[in-house]
């Protein structure tokens, strides 16, 4: 039977105390709702429907930017009258011969594995609910089972008496039902309860009345069903997620100086024997070869690092490709479009942007290299600047193999330095420099023997 997914995301999230709608609050740098959508898409659902309310336009725009090609159906719930009312808004979009899974925009870490298990354990013609046992069930709807273990009722805390409040198994909110049952039963739900809301959980009672069994599937790891209402819970969930991602990296064979001091906001793949020191942050898609060493306090975004390369402390890599056996940092900044071949050395306070650098070339200190194609075995002296911007346009610098650029040189692009050329220190090069020759543009050094230092005038 085909599957529809309905994600409830209309809540205001007042407790976030933020202008940003709750479902756009970032977890591992990705909106909460994007986590849920990503998991939904993995279920091969026929249709994914998001019920939105507060901040609708910004939610749609932001989410569309994350999933440009994914068809998401948006349904507005103008007034938040309860979870049952929210699902009701989507009923017209559900095909009769499908099942519908209900997820939540603020329960971001429910896993594909758990949902697949849920979809298998609950048969068509049955109703399902994912539950969890909590030491402190305060605030949650309680799961009331009969002797056979069938879920008979879900009672909201506010509507529950003393005995029911003692039940530790709670409703995560995640439910599964035949679409046709939802279409027939949801319109009959009433709001005669303490909160005056239309409860989706009433579905359980109604199912039982129609002899449709309600299967309760318990999840073991509460992280999967943890909801986010305020910044404290968001921070807690972020740490739980980071712990989980660090463990995954350890199991993949990486050595982490401290699994509690690494942040992964995206993906990292590692070869064998990688070492990652404290406070490394990975964002986007990253891949490390074998035996890569990442020093402390590095920020690495969408980058590829070849085997045996070392990224030393406090370096920043952004959309960069680093070859094998490279030596980067400390304090290096590789900006987008940096492509380094093998054995390249980039030292402290060197910034690169949109450059290719050939095998075994070096820029060891205090340098800016932008929009350049640099050959192999090139030595870039300290303080070299490629002047790539004339105030209006960017221009390219080309440096041939085996060239030597003396310290404190400015290469005014567009300009080409020939193969094997030497540039004398302190030169400003604005015309192409010949290969295998010394080019110097500074004034000749003179010594004035008769010159004396100025002295202070007596007062
Ligand atoms: C709900 C469940 C409760 C469960 C708990 C788990 C009901 C009646 N209660 O309670 O059994 O233990 O979740 O966290 O379902 N939403 C809308 N539109 C609405 C109302 C809610 O989109 O009109 C969305 C909210 O944005 C939120 C989710 O549904 O993401 C849950 O709503 P919330 O009011 O927080 O439900 P709880 O009272 O926590
Ligand atoms: Ca509520």
């Amino acid at each position: 039977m085909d599957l529809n997914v309905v994600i409830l995301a209309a809540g205001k999230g007042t407790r976030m105390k933020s202008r940003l709608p709750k479902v756009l609050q970032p977890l591992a740098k990705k909106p909460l709702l994007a986590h849920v959508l990503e998991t939904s898409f993995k279920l091969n659902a026929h249709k994914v429907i998001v019920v939105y309310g507060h901040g609708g336009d910004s939610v749609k725009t932001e989410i569309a930017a994350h999933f440009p090609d994914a068809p998401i159906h948006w349904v507005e719930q103008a007034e938040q009258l309860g979870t049952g009312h929210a699902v009701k808004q989507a009923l017209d979009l559900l095909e009769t011969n499908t099942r519908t899974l209900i997820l939540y925009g603020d329960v971001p870490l429910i896993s594909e594995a758990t949902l697949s298990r849920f979809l298998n354990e609950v048969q068509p013609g049955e109703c399902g609910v994912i539950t969890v046992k909590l030491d402190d069930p305060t605030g949650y709807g309680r799961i009331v089972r009969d002797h056979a273990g069938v879920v008979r009722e879900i009672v909201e805390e506010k509507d529950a008496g003393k005995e029911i409040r003692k039940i530790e198994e709670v409703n995560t909110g995640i439910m599964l039902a035949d679409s046709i049952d939802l279409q027939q039963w949801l319109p009959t739900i009433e709001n005669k309860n303490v909160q005056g809301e239309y409860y989706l959980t009433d579905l359980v009672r109604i199912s039982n009345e129609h002899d449709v069994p309600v299967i309760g599937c318990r999840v073991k790891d509460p992280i999967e069903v943890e909801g986010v209402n305020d910044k404290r819970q968001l921070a807690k969930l972020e740490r739980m997620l980071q712990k989980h991602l660090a463990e995954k990296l350890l199991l993949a064979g990486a050595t982490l100086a401290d699994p509690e001091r690494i942040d992964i906001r995206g993906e990292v793949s590692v070869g064998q024997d990688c070492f990652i020191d404290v406070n490394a942050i990975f964002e986007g898609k990253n891949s490390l070869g074998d035996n890569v060493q990442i020093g402390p306090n590095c920020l690495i975004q969408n980058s590829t690092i070849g085997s045996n390369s070392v990224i030393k402390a406090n370096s920043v890599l952004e959309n960069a490709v680093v070859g094998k056996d490279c030596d980067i940092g400390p304090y290096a900044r590789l900006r987008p479009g940096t492509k380094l071949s093998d054995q390249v050395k980039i030292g402290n306070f060197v910034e690169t942007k949109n450059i290719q650098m050939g095998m075994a070339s070096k820029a060891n200190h205090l340098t800016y290299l932008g929009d350049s194609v640099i050959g192999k075995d090139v030595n870039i002296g300290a303080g070299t600047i490629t002047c790539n911007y004339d105030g209006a346009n960017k221009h390219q610098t080309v440096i041939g193999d085996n060239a030597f650029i003396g310290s404190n040189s400015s290469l005014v692009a567009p300009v080409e330095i020939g193969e094997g050329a030497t540039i004398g220190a302190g030169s400003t090069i604005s015309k192409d420099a010949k290969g295998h020759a010394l080019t110097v543009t500074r004034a000749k050094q003179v010594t004035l023997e008769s010159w004396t230092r100025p002295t202070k005038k007596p007062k």
Side-chain angles (χ1 to χ4, degrees):
M1 221 185 213
D2 271 345
L3 180 72
N4 291 315
V5 177
V6 174
I7 303 172
L8 304 192
K12 193 168 177 188
T14 316
R15 282 172 284 171
M16 283 288 171
K17 308 225 163 92
S18 169
R19 262 177 222 207
L20 196 64
K22 174 153 88 170
V23 290
L24 291 185
Q25 297 284 338
L27 179 73
K29 226 187 168 182
K30 200 159 63 185
L32 292 173
L33 178 56
H35 286 267
V36 185
L37 281 165
E38 239 165 52
T39 310
S40 303
F41 294 140
K42 288 185 194 151
L43 300 173
N44 287 322
H46 177 63
K47 232 183 221 173
V48 176
I49 302 163
V50 179
V51 180
Y52 70 96
H54 284 275
D57 286 337
S58 62
V59 172
K60 277 195 217 171
T61 320
E62 175 72 26
I63 292 298
H66 271 263
F67 305 99
D69 305 322
I72 300 169
H73 300 264
W74 296 89
V75 178
E76 189 178 6
Q77 183 194 22
E79 253 189 307
Q80 278 75 60
L81 302 178
T83 48
H85 181 259
V87 178
K88 221 161 94 177
Q89 310 310 307
L91 290 180
D92 285 348
L93 287 178
L94 308 178
E95 297 84 356
T96 321
N97 196 24
T98 60
R99 294 201 289 172
T100 297
L101 174 68
I102 294 148
L103 301 176
Y104 296 81
D106 58 357
V107 181
L109 296 183
I110 185 72
S111 72
E112 182 198 356
T114 295
L115 292 176
S116 298
R117 179 167 69 91
F118 185 47
L119 291 168
N120 280 327
E121 282 179 15
V122 181
Q123 300 303 310
E126 294 176 340
C127 179
V129 52
I130 294 187
T131 72
V132 66
K133 213 175 152 215
L134 298 179
D135 294 337
D136 179 12
T138 313
Y140 290 91
R142 304 300 203 280
I143 299 291
V144 182
R145 294 191 189 241
D146 64 16
H147 298 300
V150 174
V151 179
R152 283 287 160 192
E153 222 187 339
I154 297 176
V155 184
E156 292 306 295
E157 161 126 349
K158 285 177 181 149
D159 302 300
K162 240 182 167 179
E163 283 310 303
I164 289 206
R165 284 191 188 196
K166 280 187 195 153
I167 297 172
E168 287 175 333
E169 187 183 5
V170 305
N171 174 27
T172 65
I174 297 171
M175 292 182 99
L176 175 65
D178 285 6
S179 304
I180 193 162
D181 289 344
L182 291 175
Q183 283 162 335
Q184 283 175 0
W185 300 338
L186 277 185
T188 70
I189 285 178
E190 293 182 83
N191 64 349
K192 287 178 191 148
N193 50 56
V194 172
Q195 302 189 80
E197 287 181 7
Y198 296 90
Y199 290 167
L200 178 63
T201 46
D202 281 0
L203 202 65
V204 172
R205 189 185 32 81
I206 301 172
S207 283
N208 277 296
E209 282 165 12
H210 289 82
D211 290 323
V212 169
V214 183
I215 314 298
C217 289
R218 222 191 252 178
V219 287
K220 286 202 190 77
D221 193 352
I223 184 181
E224 287 204 32
V225 290
E226 193 90 24
V228 177
N229 294 308
D230 57 29
K231 292 284 174 72
R232 206 186 38 157
Q233 287 171 330
L234 186 63
K236 183 180 157 204
L237 204 62
E238 178 78 38
R239 281 310 101 204
M240 285 165 102
L241 175 59
Q242 290 305 335
K243 189 174 170 216
H244 169 80
L245 294 173
E247 271 162 17
K248 239 172 85 176
L249 208 52
L250 289 167
L251 291 175
T255 301
L256 304 181
D258 181 354
E260 296 197 344
R261 282 185 288 167
I262 176 172
D263 279 70
I264 301 170
R265 302 164 188 161
E267 296 165 35
V268 193
S269 70
V270 287
Q272 267 189 327
D273 297 312
C274 288
F275 172 79
I276 301 171
D277 215 326
V278 298
N279 300 330
I281 299 176
F282 293 92
E283 295 185 347
K285 264 195 164 171
N286 300 282
S287 112
L288 315 188
D290 292 335
N291 196 33
V292 169
Q293 316 279 309
I294 308 286
N297 309 320
C298 289
L299 171 61
I300 299 178
Q301 301 171 319
N302 299 308
S303 294
T304 302
I305 302 170
S307 295
N308 305 314
S309 287
V310 181
I311 314 292
K312 290 176 181 155
N314 302 301
S315 294
V316 177
L317 277 65
E318 206 184 327
N319 297 60
V321 178
V322 175
K324 294 178 192 156
D325 303 294
C326 290
D327 193 339
I328 312 296
Y331 298 99
R333 181 174 182 209
L334 309 186
R335 291 173 52 203
T338 296
K339 289 199 182 81
L340 309 180
S341 304
D342 300 345
Q343 296 167 39
V344 166
K345 281 187 161 188
I346 300 287
N348 39 223
F349 308 109
V350 174
E351 174 183 345
T352 65
K353 189 217 72 184
N354 190 29
I355 67 157
Q356 286 175 42
M357 208 158 168
M359 175 118 148
S361 287
K362 299 176 198 163
N364 273 332
H365 336 261
L366 301 159
T367 285
Y368 172 65
L369 300 170
D371 301 307
S372 306
V373 176
I374 300 166
K376 55 184 183 190
D377 293 309
V378 170
N379 192 320
I380 309 275
T384 298
I385 306 289
T386 54
C387 310
N388 58 332
Y389 185 52
D390 59 14
N393 297 299
K394 302 276 174 70
H395 303 282
Q396 198 182 44
T397 300
V398 177
I399 303 178
D401 294 349
N402 208 28
F404 181 99
I405 313 296
S407 296
N408 206 28
S409 295
S410 321
L411 310 178
V412 183
V415 73
E416 190 169 337
I417 311 296
E419 209 180 298
T422 302
I423 303 298
S427 294
T428 296
I429 304 292
S430 50
K431 285 181 266 178
D432 291 355
K434 249 179 113 179
H436 307 288
L438 172 67
T439 302
V440 204
T441 66
R442 59 174 186 255
K444 273 223 175 89
Q445 181 166 332
V446 292
T447 302
L448 304 174
E449 300 274 4
S450 57
W451 182 82
T452 52
R453 282 194 194 172
T455 51
K456 266 196 178 160
K457 279 184 195 153
K459 278 184 187 160

